[in-house]
Amino acid sequence: MPSRSHPTQRQRRLGLELRKLREAAGMSAQEAGALVNIKAYQVSHLEAGRVGITPGRLRTLVCNYGCSNQGFVDALVALTDERDKGWWEEYRGALPPGYLDIAELEHHTRRMRTSSSVHIPGLLQTEEHARAIFDEAIQPLPADEVELRVAHRLRRQAVLRQPDPPRFEAFIHEAALRMQFGGRRAAANQLNHLLGVSEQENVWIRVLPFAAGGFPGAGQTIFYAHGAVPQLDTVQLDAAHTTVFLTADQHLENYRGLFKRAEHKALSPEKSREMIHAIAKEV
């Protein structure tokens, strides 16, 4: 069982799901360990994402836990793959771990949804817009760290241009479109960039106009990554000085409902492009 000094969100999620299955089966860590010839403390490390597990041992565990959902089991097995060391690992130790976890989530999902009321979503930001946002950090960042964060954000965007890219749905409030981070020219460039990206088949931009009134999730920036199966979906929220990941079944259900409600409030992609174009002309 290989050890990890810095488990990723994906690795921690595997451990969490295994712990949930074990507890639902009413089995102790010692009993679980006996099934695959490991100690109770090793089971604890596994469930914390600090050590890995082979596909064979995982299937033995979940079978004995009584899990009969083969699609879910196969999705858990896919999480054991240690060979997938993505480009984001180059930033390990240089940027907060949450930045790397978000890039990893984006890499593995087939569908992403986001809702933003003040900022343009990171996957749709221009370099100017991203730099202006980082320049406004509560605690001013050193220039070299700003450049690192901008480079990381721009590199994340390649996921939308890769062969067979994931579907990306962005609900953007009109307020975010009218914010002029970096000045008028930077704001105009950002809006024109949105118009260009919205032409991609895998990118859907939906504007929540002021006229729609209140909308669900107002005040939050929400990222919803769909897993291989619904049980492995993940919600990511931005918070001061940290990144929050939600995986509980009730949280996932709540945010699925939030996006359904947002769909009824938002303009269609076509009407959204018209509004973005009109605001760009004003700028």
Side-chain angles (χ1 to χ4, degrees):
M1 302 180 73
S3 62
R4 309 175 179 123
S5 56
H6 300 286
T8 69
Q9 170 63 20
R10 181 176 169 87
Q11 292 161 344
R12 292 193 299 272
R13 182 64 181 280
L14 172 60
L16 173 62
E17 295 301 325
L18 289 176
R19 179 174 62 79
K20 287 164 60 177
L21 289 172
R22 176 179 61 78
E23 292 178 344
M27 195 176 293
S28 69
Q30 183 175 3
E31 291 170 328
L35 295 171
V36 290
N37 196 30
I38 61 176
K39 303 296 185 182
Y41 77 87
Q42 291 174 299
V43 173
S44 297
H45 286 322
L46 169 62
E47 293 176 351
R50 290 191 291 268
V51 298
I53 186 172
T54 64
R57 277 180 162 174
L58 184 145
R59 290 186 185 277
T60 296
L61 283 178
V62 297
C63 176
N64 283 274
Y65 292 161
C67 180
S68 59
N69 185 333
Q70 193 57 50
F72 182 45
V73 174
D74 290 342
L76 291 178
V77 168
L79 294 179
T80 68
D81 192 352
E82 294 285 347
R83 296 171 298 172
D84 186 14
K85 299 295 184 183
W87 61 263
W88 49 88
E89 287 297 330
E90 299 173 21
Y91 292 84
R92 178 78 56 191
L95 290 178
Y99 280 65
L100 283 62
D101 289 334
I102 292 170
E104 184 182 50
L105 269 178
E106 293 167 344
H107 175 77
H108 288 285
T109 189
R110 296 305 307 147
R111 182 186 180 193
M112 297 179 276
R113 313 186 89 187
T114 187
S115 174
S116 180
S117 57
V118 177
H119 295 149
I120 302 300
L123 289 180
L124 303 179
Q125 291 176 6
T126 63
E127 181 176 347
E128 293 173 292
H129 187 94
R131 183 173 286 106
I133 288 175
F134 289 127
D135 282 340
E136 295 295 337
I138 296 175
Q139 291 293 333
L141 297 168
D144 58 345
E145 184 166 349
V146 169
E147 293 309 310
L148 265 179
R149 295 189 181 204
V150 171
H152 176 268
R153 179 155 297 181
L154 295 179
R155 199 164 176 185
R156 282 170 48 205
Q157 297 175 3
V159 73
L160 297 180
R161 302 187 298 271
Q162 67 186 13
D164 190 25
R167 175 169 170 170
F168 181 62
E169 301 169 62
F171 292 86
I172 307 175
H173 196 266
E174 183 179 345
L177 300 176
R178 294 187 179 278
M179 294 287 286
Q180 295 187 11
F181 285 100
R184 294 176 66 89
R185 178 176 294 180
N189 290 338
Q190 176 62 75
L191 293 170
N192 287 323
H193 178 69
L194 283 181
L195 290 171
V197 175
S198 70
E199 297 296 332
Q200 294 180 211
E201 291 185 3
N202 62 309
V203 177
W204 288 34
I205 295 178
R206 305 278 304 275
V207 173
L208 288 155
F210 286 131
F215 66 96
Q220 286 185 309
T221 296
I222 305 163
F223 174 63
Y224 193 109
H226 291 253
V229 293
Q231 298 97 312
L232 294 180
D233 290 356
T234 302
V235 171
Q236 179 264 318
L237 306 175
D238 289 335
H241 310 300
T242 189
T243 302
V244 177
F245 294 94
L246 303 178
T247 59
D249 293 341
Q250 190 58 57
H251 285 145
L252 297 177
E253 185 62 29
N254 289 344
Y255 281 97
R256 289 186 195 115
L258 181 149
F259 278 105
K260 285 182 180 179
R261 292 165 59 197
E263 288 177 356
H264 295 295
K265 292 266 189 175
L267 301 177
S268 68
E270 295 75 17
K271 293 291 186 182
S272 296
R273 281 194 291 269
E274 291 177 8
M275 173 167 279
I276 295 170
H277 181 70
I279 295 174
K281 288 181 65 176
E282 292 177 18
V283 173

